[in-house]
Amino acid sequence: MKILIRQFLGKNHSWSVCGWGIAKSLINNGHDVHLFSTDGIANLPNDLKPNLIGYVEENKSENLYGRLPDKQYDCQISYTAMKNFSIYLANGSKNRFGIWCYEWGGRNILPTGFAKHYNGCDKIFAPSNFAKQIFIDSGVPEEHVDVIPHGVNSSYTKSSTIELPTKKSFKLLANIAQNHKRKNIPGLLEAYGKAFTNKDDVCLILKSKDKPVKMQFEISLNTSLSYFRKKYPNHAEIKIMSDFIPDISALYRSVDATITMAHCEGFYFPGLESITSGKLAIAPNWGGQLDFLNQSNSLLIEGKEERADPSSMYWESKNNAIW
């Protein structure tokens, strides 16, 4: 088949990583795969560059490098915000597959105008049953949504580890790719402060980086840490790892457990990466992670549904959002 994948492919973004995996699998199965990146090519894997036909930088679509996709493809795939389905899947009339998920629950919770774009594809591939229900609750016909879980690549079967900046025996990892309110970084630090002191042989490793707060749904990592240290002056050790790690799977193999206190997740990659690495995952008992986290492979934290902070949402704030 002649297949087009048009989406984020250039940065170390979860959508990009999924696109790389899909592309490599299709290429290995003998398909003619064309790649068009919508966020540059800075981190596009070298083995996929022969399949790249063109790209634009993120938010700079007026500057085209290479060429545009052909007019007709047998299959089109795009992991992108739902509003882009009709644009990115427009080069053919069959086998048009859009991949996406939203994190907040609630009736008609998708940003206004998004739901109608289900007509821009033949199927939406939601990564979890939780994500599928969000589409349905916003009016997308159930028969138009299938659940196809995300996966992890073969690097998680390796045995290599990396040196960590701690001498503590028990190492707890929180892999926080984005400093967003829904990730509940203050809640994570609060739980750690209540559970351990500097007398405990434990270290919390935060794989994160402080960035300027530009959007309403972002928070400052440094501000959260400053507040935590004042409230818990005798807290257990915390180390920040902000540098790029070429093989992130080695980080998982170097710790004992992973933890999140996120209010809502459509899938939660670190949980899957953790159990694939043979590590304990600690996560809320709510959200997309429940498709693969359970009482036999995880420590699930009980909580309660409540109204989400409207300012935590992307594109549009809604007062009826649930997390």
Side-chain angles (χ1 to χ4, degrees), residues 6-278:
R6 175 162 42 181
Q7 59 169 77
F8 281 0
L9 291 168
K11 298 179 181 177
N12 285 305
H13 186 287
S14 58
W15 300 0
S16 301
V17 174
C18 287
W20 301 342
I22 294 170
K24 291 179 181 181
S25 294
L26 292 171
I27 293 167
N28 290 339
N29 278 282
H31 296 288
D32 180 17
V33 179
H34 289 188
L35 303 179
F36 189 93
S37 175
T38 59
D39 66 341
I41 57 171
N43 298 111
L44 181 71
N46 287 330
D47 57 351
L48 289 178
K49 288 181 179 179
N51 296 84
L52 181 74
I53 61 169
Y55 69 94
V56 295
E57 297 291 348
E58 187 176 0
N59 300 321
K60 296 180 180 179
S61 58
E62 67 277 5
N63 297 325
L64 171 66
Y65 301 89
R67 66 175 179 87
L68 290 170
D70 297 337
K71 291 184 178 181
Q72 290 291 326
Y73 288 87
D74 301 309
C75 174
Q76 299 172 80
I77 300 169
S78 185
Y79 199 140
T80 185
M82 195 177 182
K83 64 177 181 176
N84 295 325
F85 286 172
S86 58
I87 302 172
Y88 291 0
L89 303 171
N91 296 65
S93 58
K94 60 182 180 179
N95 301 319
R96 301 168 302 159
F97 304 124
I99 308 173
W100 192 56
C101 66
Y102 207 50
E103 286 79 10
W104 293 265
R107 183 66 58 180
N108 293 320
I109 210 63
L110 293 180
T112 301
F114 270 45
K116 66 182 181 182
H117 289 288
Y118 80 85
N119 282 317
C121 64
D122 296 298
K123 281 282 187 179
I124 296 174
F125 292 155
S128 66
N129 284 285
F130 175 82
K132 177 181 179 179
Q133 192 61 48
I134 292 171
F135 284 118
I136 295 170
D137 288 344
S138 285
V140 178
E142 183 172 1
E143 62 271 18
H144 209 87
V145 188
D146 285 336
V147 176
I148 298 185
H150 295 324
V152 296
N153 62 40
S154 59
S155 66
Y156 287 86
T157 64
K158 298 178 182 178
S159 58
S160 59
T161 59
I162 60 177
E163 184 175 352
L164 298 176
T166 180
K167 300 298 183 181
K168 300 295 184 180
S169 297
F170 193 87
K171 294 167 279 290
L172 189 60
L173 169 67
N175 188 1
I176 305 170
Q178 301 165 318
N179 298 335
H180 293 179
K181 290 179 181 178
R182 71 173 182 84
K183 295 290 185 177
N184 193 20
I185 296 173
L188 169 67
L189 295 172
E190 179 78 9
Y192 187 68
K194 288 181 177 179
F196 304 109
T197 71
N198 54 15
K199 296 180 180 180
D200 292 301
D201 190 16
V202 60
C203 178
L204 173 63
I205 296 171
L206 294 176
K207 180 63 180 78
S208 187
K209 178 186 293 187
D210 189 62
K211 301 175 182 177
V213 174
K214 297 181 179 180
M215 306 295 290
Q216 66 171 6
F217 49 77
E218 296 175 330
I219 66 169
S220 165
L221 176 64
N222 284 349
T223 299
S224 297
L225 285 168
S226 177
Y227 178 82
F228 165 77
R229 289 170 178 141
K230 290 178 181 178
K231 185 173 182 179
Y232 296 97
N234 297 317
H235 64 82
E237 186 175 73
I238 294 180
K239 295 292 185 180
I240 312 296
M241 295 185 69
S242 57
D243 292 340
F244 175 71
I245 299 176
D247 181 7
I248 195 70
S249 67
L251 175 59
Y252 284 87
R253 290 188 293 271
S254 305
V255 302
D256 299 285
T258 62
I259 185 170
T260 179
M261 292 288 286
H263 291 298
C264 51
E265 292 283 0
F267 185 77
Y268 183 51
F269 271 109
L272 184 62
E273 292 164 341
S274 180
I275 61 174
T276 304
S277 303

